[in-house]
Amino acid sequence: MFTRREYREQRRYRSDPSEPYWKQRGWQVSAAFLGVVVLLSGIVALTAGRGTADDGASSPPSKGPLSGSPAMKDGRPDGCRTDDRNGAVMPTAPPDDVDWRALGVTRVPVSASAGPTLTQGPVWWCFAHTPIGAVLAAHIIPSHMSGPDWRTIAQEQVVAGPGRDLFVFKRSTVRDDAPGSTTDTGSRPDSGSASGSRPDAGSGGSSTASYAGFSVPAYSGSAATVELLLKTGQGYATTSVALRWSGGDWKVQPSGNGALHTPVKAVQGTNGHLIWGV
């Protein structure tokens, strides 16, 4: 039996459902990830009624290198070359040739050997057919979804089906954030002059987060699951992205409810993850 004082102390640390949602711990963790991937399924639901909804005037998605039936050579779209010698060997460290490139409101890792090695319009594509290639795709493809070119990215780099259709429907209700695209054609994404720098997670009350590490819980030549480790103002959090090898490149496999990743959850530390060296 608790004394009255002990009972009051126990209740003090419980989340009060009557508190405003932005003061509740679960919402703060999800909001921290907002700086990396704007389209959390929960955030979509919260923001669907505000901002500027898509009234149908948006430009249709442009055709890119992975839409339709691209010309193939050796199982890859023509012109796509990556270092696939490691095959299905799981990584024990991040690639040595990783640079960090600004993409919308965050920074993402790119690799000369594992991809993305090409761009066409807003599409960063041509990832290695390896676990590290899947890891890089899991960072980059969802991070593109906050900018104005999200429809093209969804068409090119999200697996077609009811999940993608539902994602597009939900995403169309949310305002676009800072542009997250590149206008180069056929070139490798430039790592930029601020290679390796990331947003200051949580400084000054900011709700941004940064990519801190990753793990690969499951991998085959046709599918992969990548867990992303995020550094937030409150500590660490994780979310998982499912991918499929489709049309000669990695694409995000959305869930049946239209989410591109699992719900964000807080974790105590970095155990079980490879840490980016930035």
Side-chain angles (χ1 to χ4, degrees):
M1 296 292 291
F2 291 121
T3 65
R4 287 186 177 181
R5 179 177 181 180
E6 289 171 334
Y7 179 72
R8 285 195 300 269
E9 289 177 350
Q10 290 284 332
R11 292 195 61 183
R12 185 182 306 167
Y13 296 101
R14 294 180 181 175
S15 176
D16 183 356
S18 65
E19 286 184 332
Y21 65 86
W22 63 84
K23 292 185 178 180
Q24 296 178 20
R25 170 67 173 172
W27 190 91
Q28 290 173 346
V29 171
S30 293
F33 189 43
L34 188 62
V36 177
V37 181
V38 169
L39 298 175
L40 289 171
S41 56
I43 298 300
V44 169
L46 288 171
T47 59
R50 40 183 192 152
T52 35
D54 184 353
D55 59 2
S58 298
S59 299
S62 59
K63 296 292 184 180
L66 301 173
S67 61
S69 299
M72 305 291 283
K73 184 177 181 179
D74 299 326
R76 305 298 302 268
D78 194 21
C80 175
R81 297 289 182 272
T82 54
D83 183 355
D84 299 343
R85 288 175 295 178
N86 287 335
V89 176
M90 290 294 184
T92 58
D96 294 332
D97 61 355
V98 164
D99 288 324
W100 289 80
R101 171 77 189 275
L103 177 57
V105 295
T106 189
R107 290 189 178 274
V108 293
V110 298
S111 163
S113 59
T117 64
L118 297 171
T119 66
Q120 182 169 327
V123 183
W124 299 12
W125 66 289
C126 192
F127 296 94
H129 196 183
T130 65
I132 283 294
V135 166
L136 296 171
H139 284 74
I140 290 169
I141 296 171
S143 295
H144 256 124
M145 293 301 180
S146 65
D149 298 306
W150 66 269
R151 288 182 182 275
T152 295
I153 304 303
Q155 175 177 281
E156 297 286 313
Q157 296 182 295
V158 176
V159 177
R164 187 176 76 176
D165 294 343
L166 186 54
F167 166 78
V168 170
F169 173 76
K170 290 182 177 181
R171 175 61 180 90
S172 67
T173 68
V174 182
R175 186 193 311 241
D176 295 337
D177 274 1
S181 63
T182 179
T183 57
D184 297 337
T185 301
S187 61
R188 177 179 174 272
D190 183 4
S191 61
S193 59
S195 173
S197 61
R198 298 172 298 168
D200 183 10
S203 63
S206 171
S207 63
T208 60
S210 57
Y211 291 121
F214 64 90
S215 65
V216 186
Y219 181 84
S220 70
S222 60
T225 300
V226 175
E227 185 171 271
L228 306 177
L229 179 68
L230 312 168
K231 182 67 171 68
T232 76
Q234 292 78 38
Y236 290 99
T238 60
T239 185
S240 292
V241 178
L243 301 106
R244 182 193 296 176
W245 186 258
S246 175
D249 212 359
W250 289 112
K251 298 182 181 181
V252 171
Q253 174 68 67
S255 66
N257 66 2
L260 301 189
H261 56 84
T262 62
V264 178
K265 63 179 181 181
V267 294
Q268 295 301 312
T270 64
N271 288 345
H273 298 87
L274 298 178
I275 306 303
W276 292 114
V278 293

